[in-house]
């Protein structure tokens, strides 16, 4: 049997593998949104892990991140981990894809025809139920998809298939979901998570690999990669059917839909329709080419927008880092300024306290000054009274006939104050006056004869006579009252 069939590998880069796994497990205990699942055939589904995702990411990014972080002195410029690096790059380090073999319109007629051919084979001779045949058939489809998954990493040097799910229990065509990790590089050699860069590394020349803009090459190599994978899917399915069924089956890849090889009698019967279908096919191919050109333009524009978005995201990331750095520096400066303000306020308080204490001292000094002024005033008044007393006392000496002379000047005032004392009395002031009063007139006359009354002999008990006082007292009684 020969069958022209489609085979398509569709990349779904917008979907994350972690979010799809719940849908792909087909757990009968979970109410799935897909209602076309035949639970009796779920056991023929296959789940496989070919490569560990974390190991592949470490191989692709680990050395670059380690070398980058070793060169950085500031901790905020280090990536620290693969997850942190990818988050800063806003990158998704994986692609999800679906490899679909055929379509419902192709597979169902083929399955019916294959069942009839199998019944006619010598191995079964009509002894094969449709239920058992369908189980064999589903297991064969699953095996072909499994061969495709297991050979993926051998065919692709820069895209690694990590995990896959094969579904043959749905109403549509058999298909395979897989998680792929691109391992490309930018023009500067930096690890890239972009699928197109991985394709350029896988198929491109050295000049193309180091070109800054590889969008056109990426689109070109995307077509090449899809053609490679579609053909590989058909080859793997041919190998699976050859191992399972004795009936010779050969699938041929076609891109134009339901091109089944018809028997001659059916071909003649529907020749006119076939001609019309060919014309429709040619028109569709023309439109498809135009649509493909439009898609190519849109893809190119999309790549340009993505590149612009990546550049903008990088610019915004750097601006955000600078903003955070400036914010930290400003916060540090504010803290230092606040500390200075606190020091200034503390110094102001200390100065205010010192001023208060100084004002208190000044107030105390002013009070003491006032007291001193009052005391001086009182002292002056007392001194004035004393002076008057000594003047009166000096006059009393004169009334008693005692006029003390020194160098031709009356010194009764100085004697009264005790500055100058008669040598024979060794007294002054009131004691001298008392002695003079007690002494009789005769004795005074005798004493006066022995004194230097006429010669002015007067001595001081412990110091030389005061010249200033002698000069300022020209009268007989001392200063005027």
């Amino acid at each position: 049997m020969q069958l022209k069939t489609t085979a398509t590998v569709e990349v779904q880069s917008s979907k994350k593998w972690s979010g799809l796994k719940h849908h792909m497990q087909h757990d009968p205990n979970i109410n799935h949104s897909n209602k076309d699942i035949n639970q009796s055939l779920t056991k023929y589904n296959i789940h496989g892990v070919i490569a560990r995702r974390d190991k592949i990411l470490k191989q692709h990014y680990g050395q670059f991140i380690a070398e980058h972080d070793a060169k950085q002195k500031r901790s905020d410029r280090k990536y620290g981990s693969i997850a942190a690096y990818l988050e800063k790059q806003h990158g998704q380090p994986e692609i999800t894809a679906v490899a679909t073999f055929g379509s419902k319109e192709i597979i169902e007629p083929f399955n019916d025809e294959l069942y009839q051919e199998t019944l006619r084979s010598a191995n079964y001779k009509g002894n094969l139920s449709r239920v058992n045949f369908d189980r064999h058939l589903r297991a064969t489809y699953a095996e072909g998809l499994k061969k495709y998954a297991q050979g993926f990493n051998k065919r692709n040097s820069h895209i690694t298939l990590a995990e896959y799910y094969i579904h043959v229990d749905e109403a549509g065509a058999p298909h395979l979901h897989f998680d792929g990790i691109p391992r490309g590089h930018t023009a500067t050699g930096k690890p890239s998570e972009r699928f197109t860069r991985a394709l350029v590394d896988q198929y491109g020349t050295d000049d193309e690999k180091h070109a800054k803009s590889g969008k056109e090459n990426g689109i070109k190599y995307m077509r090449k990669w899809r053609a490679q994978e579609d053909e590989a899917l058909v080859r793997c399915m041919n190998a699976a059917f050859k191992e399972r069924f004795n009936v010779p089956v050969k699938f041929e890849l076609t891109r134009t839909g339901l091109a089944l090889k018809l028997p001659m009698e059916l071909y003649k019967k529907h020749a006119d329709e076939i001609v019309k279908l060919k014309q429709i096919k040619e028109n569709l191919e023309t439109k498809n080419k135009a649509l493909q050109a439009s898609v190519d333009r849109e893809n190119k524009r999309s790549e340009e927008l993505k590149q612009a978005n990546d550049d903008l995201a990088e610019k915004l990331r750097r601006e955000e880092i600078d903003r955070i750095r400036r914010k930290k520096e400003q916060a540090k400066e504010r803290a230092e300024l606040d500390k200075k303000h606190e020091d200034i306020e503390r110094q102001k308080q200390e100065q205010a306290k010192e001023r208060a204490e100084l004002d208190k001292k000044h107030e105390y000094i002013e009070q003491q000054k006032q007291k001193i002024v009052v005391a001086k005033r009182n002292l002056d008044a007392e001194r004035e009274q004393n002076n008057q007393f000594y003047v009166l006392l000096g006059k009393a000496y004169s009334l008693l006939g005692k006029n003390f002379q020194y160098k031709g000047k009356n010194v009764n005032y100085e004697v009264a104050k005790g500055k100058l004392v008669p040598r024979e009395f060794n007294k002054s002031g009131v004691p001298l006056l008392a002695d003079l009063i007690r002494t009789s007139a005769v004795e005074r006359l005798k004493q006066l004869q022995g004194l230097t009354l006429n010669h002015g002999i007067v001595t001081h008990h412990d110091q030389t006579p005061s010249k200033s006082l002698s000069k300022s007292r020209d009268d007989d009684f001392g200063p005027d009252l």
Side-chain angles (χ1 to χ4, degrees):
M1 293 181 61
Q2 188 172 1
L3 175 68
K4 289 186 177 182
T5 182
T6 58
T8 306
V9 179
E10 179 184 3
V11 176
Q12 300 173 319
S13 58
S14 62
K15 296 183 179 180
K16 292 186 177 181
W17 183 251
S18 58
L20 292 173
K21 292 184 72 173
H22 176 75
H23 161 73
M24 293 184 292
Q25 290 171 355
H26 285 196
D27 188 345
N29 297 320
I30 298 176
N31 184 19
H32 292 282
S33 59
N34 186 357
K35 303 302 180 182
D36 294 331
I37 297 175
N38 186 344
Q39 298 292 346
S40 65
L41 299 175
T42 300
K43 61 184 177 181
Y44 298 107
N45 291 346
I46 299 175
H47 168 240
V49 177
I50 296 179
R52 288 179 55 186
R53 182 176 181 274
D54 56 347
K55 184 177 180 181
I56 298 302
L57 292 177
K58 184 176 181 181
Q59 290 176 352
H60 189 44
Y61 297 101
Q63 183 177 356
F64 166 76
I65 293 174
E67 292 176 352
H68 173 274
D69 289 355
K71 296 176 182 178
Q72 306 302 319
K73 295 182 179 179
R74 289 175 44 179
S75 58
D76 59 336
R77 293 183 177 177
K78 295 181 179 181
Y79 296 124
S81 65
I82 295 174
Y85 166 76
L86 293 172
E87 182 178 356
K88 288 185 178 181
Q89 297 300 315
H90 305 287
Q92 183 176 330
E94 61 185 356
I95 58 166
T96 59
V98 180
T100 305
F101 181 76
S103 64
K104 184 177 181 181
E105 292 78 9
I106 294 175
I107 293 299
E108 288 183 353
F110 168 74
N111 293 343
D112 294 338
E113 186 176 356
L114 180 60
Y115 176 61
Q116 298 301 325
E117 288 291 332
T118 304
L119 288 177
R120 290 192 289 269
S121 68
N123 291 337
Y124 295 101
K125 296 180 180 180
N127 188 18
L128 179 63
S129 68
R130 184 59 191 258
V131 173
N132 288 334
F133 172 79
D134 285 343
R135 292 174 178 172
H136 282 287
L137 191 64
R138 298 290 174 173
T140 306
Y141 283 131
E143 184 63 25
L145 292 169
K146 180 180 177 181
K147 288 179 179 294
Y148 168 82
Q150 290 177 339
F152 185 92
N153 292 341
K154 295 180 181 179
R155 295 188 301 273
N156 295 278
S157 59
H158 287 77
I159 307 166
T160 301
L161 190 153
E163 187 177 6
Y164 66 88
Y165 282 89
I166 296 172
H167 292 155
V168 293
D169 57 348
E170 297 180 13
H175 59 274
L176 171 145
H177 299 268
F178 69 86
D179 175 30
I181 302 175
R183 294 183 291 105
H185 296 82
T186 64
T188 59
K190 176 182 174 181
S192 172
E193 68 280 358
R194 294 175 60 187
F195 182 53
T196 53
R197 293 303 307 182
L199 293 178
V200 171
D201 276 8
Q202 182 163 308
Y203 298 117
T205 63
D206 290 340
D207 292 339
E208 291 173 341
K209 293 176 184 178
H210 295 92
K212 291 185 178 180
S213 177
K215 299 173 185 177
E216 295 181 358
N217 292 327
I219 295 172
K220 176 178 68 175
Y221 291 137
M222 172 69 81
R223 294 174 182 168
K224 182 175 181 179
W225 179 78
R226 290 188 64 180
Q228 167 190 297
E229 294 304 305
D230 293 349
E231 292 172 358
L233 181 56
V234 172
R235 288 198 306 272
C236 292
M237 202 60 71
N238 279 330
F241 270 85
K242 183 177 180 180
E243 293 174 1
R244 175 77 62 159
F245 293 92
N246 290 327
V247 176
V249 177
K250 184 178 181 181
F251 297 105
E252 292 183 1
L253 179 64
T254 182
R255 297 291 187 191
T256 56
L258 308 179
L260 296 175
K261 184 176 182 180
L262 300 176
M264 183 57 66
E265 61 273 12
L266 290 177
Y267 178 80
K268 291 178 180 179
K269 181 178 179 180
H270 300 286
D272 293 337
E273 295 180 5
I274 292 173
V275 172
K276 292 179 181 180
L277 289 173
K278 286 183 178 180
Q279 292 176 350
I280 293 172
K281 172 187 172 183
E282 291 175 355
N283 292 334
L284 290 175
E285 287 178 348
T286 301
K287 291 180 179 180
N288 184 60
K289 289 180 180 180
L291 288 173
Q292 187 62 43
S294 177
V295 169
D296 292 343
R297 288 194 298 272
E298 290 299 323
N299 288 338
K300 182 178 180 180
R301 178 60 179 165
S302 177
E303 289 293 329
E304 292 175 351
L305 290 174
K306 187 176 186 303
Q307 184 63 41
N309 183 64
D310 292 344
D311 295 341
L312 179 59
E314 177 65 18
K315 180 180 178 181
L316 292 175
R317 183 184 70 82
R318 292 178 180 176
E319 290 178 352
E320 180 65 15
I321 291 174
D322 291 339
R323 185 187 67 80
I324 292 173
R325 177 182 55 77
R326 290 195 300 270
K327 185 176 180 181
K328 289 181 178 179
E329 291 176 351
Q330 290 172 357
K332 184 178 179 181
E333 291 175 356
R334 282 198 299 270
E336 293 176 352
L337 190 59
D338 291 341
K339 186 177 179 182
K340 289 181 180 179
H341 286 167
E342 291 176 359
D343 294 339
I344 291 172
E345 289 298 325
R346 185 174 64 255
Q347 291 175 1
K348 286 182 178 179
Q349 292 176 1
E350 292 176 354
Q351 290 174 356
K353 185 176 179 182
E354 291 176 357
R355 281 197 301 270
E357 293 177 353
L358 190 59
D359 292 340
K360 188 175 180 181
K361 290 180 179 179
H362 288 167
E363 184 179 357
Y364 175 76
I365 291 171
E366 290 297 327
Q367 291 175 355
Q368 295 301 316
K369 283 182 178 180
Q370 294 296 328
K371 290 181 180 180
I372 291 171
V373 170
V374 173
K376 183 179 180 183
R377 206 177 283 144
N378 295 335
L379 184 60
D380 290 341
E382 184 179 354
R383 185 177 294 156
E384 183 64 25
Q385 291 176 359
N386 290 337
N387 287 338
Q388 293 177 2
F389 171 76
Y390 293 136
V391 170
L392 292 174
L393 191 60
K395 287 184 178 184
Y397 292 161
S398 298
L399 292 176
L400 292 174
K402 202 68 173 176
N403 289 317
F404 297 101
Q405 299 291 322
Y406 179 74
K407 291 184 179 182
K409 292 184 179 181
N410 186 293
V411 291
N412 286 9
Y413 178 77
E414 283 76 5
V415 171
K417 292 185 71 173
K419 292 183 178 180
L420 298 173
V421 180
R423 191 176 295 163
E424 68 272 20
F425 293 108
N426 198 23
K427 292 181 181 180
S428 65
V430 176
L432 177 59
L433 178 61
D435 285 344
L436 292 177
I437 292 173
R438 285 196 300 270
T439 305
S440 64
V442 177
E443 291 176 347
R444 283 202 304 277
L445 290 174
K446 291 179 180 181
Q447 292 174 355
L448 288 173
Q449 291 175 358
L451 292 174
T452 58
L453 181 61
N454 297 322
H455 300 287
I457 301 173
V458 179
T459 60
H460 194 275
H461 65 283
D462 59 358
Q463 62 182 2
T464 59
S466 174
K467 295 180 181 181
S468 61
L469 288 174
S470 299
K471 291 179 181 180
S472 63
R473 307 295 191 270
D474 295 332
D475 55 15
D476 295 336
F477 305 104
D480 295 333
L481 293 177

